[in-house]
């Protein structure tokens, strides 16, 4: 999907500059992709004895090996979401569709004018981008908490066990413990995005 969209985008855009209308269309494509992924996804957890690898085959086969600095300064778009909402995949789609690097709020200030988007989990995670006052656009990525909370729990399992991101699914026992200890707080943080 991203290779096809990247090829079509390259045929229709010059100098990798996105007009607001084109940006809106790309956003709708990303939203449609994420919605279909959510609707067609399987259970976010595996039984304790079976931690299988996961990944999107289309994504693993799709390599956009380059990004380049924009030819003109651009003000990045904030890409805000609750953790576990698919923001990393969206981050890669921004880069694949535009050829311009994206970043996250832990690595850039937002005032370099050389990123297409800056991923953030604010306000769910209290870390603000220093150059946020410059940005006048935002893409709010929402995923049903029925799926985003378990996805975030999977990430926490990987992080707590020194595993690479997005490689295994947490055992059910981990999910039950995480959910029982964190649900009230995390659903409140998910709601802060409204």
């Amino acid at each position: 999907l991203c290779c096809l969209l990247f090829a079509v985008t390259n045929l229709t855009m010059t100098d990798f500059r996105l007009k607001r209308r084109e940006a809106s269309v790309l956003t709708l494509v990303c939203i449609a992709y994420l919605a279909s992924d959510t609707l067609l996804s399987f259970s976010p957890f595996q039984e304790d004895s079976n931690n299988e690898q996961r990944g999107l085959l289309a994504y693993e086969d799709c390599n956009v090996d380059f990004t380049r600095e924009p030819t003109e300064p651009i003000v990045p778009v904030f890409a805000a979401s609750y953790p576990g909402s698919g923001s990393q995949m969206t981050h890669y789609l921004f880069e694949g569709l535009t050829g311009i690097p994206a970043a996250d709020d832990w690595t850039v200030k937002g005032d370099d004018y050389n990123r297409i988007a800056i991923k953030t989990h604010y306000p769910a995670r209290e870390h603000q981008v220093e150059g946020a006052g410059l940005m006048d656009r935002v893409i709010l990525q929402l995923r049903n908490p029925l799926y985003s909370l378990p996805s975030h729990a999977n990430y926490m399992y990987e992080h707590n066990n020194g595993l690479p991101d997005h490689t295994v699914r947490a055992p059910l026992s981990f999910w039950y413990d995480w959910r029982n200890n964190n649900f009230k707080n995390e659903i409140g943080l998910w709601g802060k995005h409204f």
Side-chain angles (χ1 to χ4, degrees):
L1 175 65
C2 71
C3 287
L4 174 65
L5 292 174
F6 181 70
V8 171
T9 304
N10 274 337
L11 294 174
T12 61
M13 293 188 324
T14 58
D15 299 329
F16 294 101
R17 287 182 290 176
L18 292 176
K19 298 174 187 161
R20 287 190 187 264
R21 183 173 292 153
E22 290 168 332
S24 298
V25 170
L26 293 176
T27 301
L28 290 174
V29 168
C30 290
I31 291 169
Y33 173 79
L34 291 169
S36 66
D37 179 55
T38 299
L39 293 173
L40 300 175
S41 66
F42 297 99
S43 169
F45 297 97
Q46 297 292 327
E47 294 298 325
D48 289 345
S49 62
N50 187 14
N51 281 335
E52 296 179 11
Q53 297 288 93
R54 67 177 173 184
L56 299 173
L57 293 178
Y59 169 70
E60 291 171 356
D61 293 338
C62 178
N63 293 314
V64 179
D65 296 326
F66 66 90
T67 58
R68 60 181 129 227
E69 298 291 317
T71 56
E72 297 176 14
I74 57 172
V75 176
V77 175
F78 255 137
S81 66
Y82 174 82
S85 295
S87 59
Q88 191 63 42
M89 175 59 79
T90 305
H91 177 97
Y92 295 140
L93 286 171
F94 291 146
E95 289 182 342
L97 291 169
T98 65
I100 299 172
D104 63 55
D105 58 0
W106 292 98
T107 59
V108 298
K109 292 182 179 180
D111 57 0
D112 297 333
Y113 303 103
N114 62 356
R115 299 288 190 258
I116 191 69
I118 297 179
K119 177 179 93 168
T120 182
H121 293 308
Y122 181 83
R125 300 296 176 258
E126 295 290 334
H127 178 75
Q128 295 185 19
V129 177
E130 293 178 31
L134 304 171
M135 295 177 228
D136 61 352
R137 298 172 293 156
V138 65
I139 296 172
L140 177 59
Q141 182 174 332
L142 294 175
R143 185 178 187 193
N144 186 327
L146 181 65
Y147 300 106
S148 62
L149 269 65
S151 179
H152 180 50
N154 280 332
Y155 168 78
M156 296 307 300
Y157 175 80
E158 292 166 332
H159 181 74
N160 293 346
N161 289 285
L163 300 169
D165 297 351
H166 309 296
T167 57
V168 299
R169 295 181 182 175
L172 283 173
S173 59
F174 180 85
W175 163 244
Y176 293 144
D177 290 342
W178 188 89
R179 178 199 61 195
N180 293 341
N181 293 321
N182 298 288
F183 180 79
K184 186 175 181 178
N185 183 55
E186 293 297 326
I187 197 69
L189 292 172
W190 182 90
K192 280 186 169 185
H193 285 280
F194 293 104

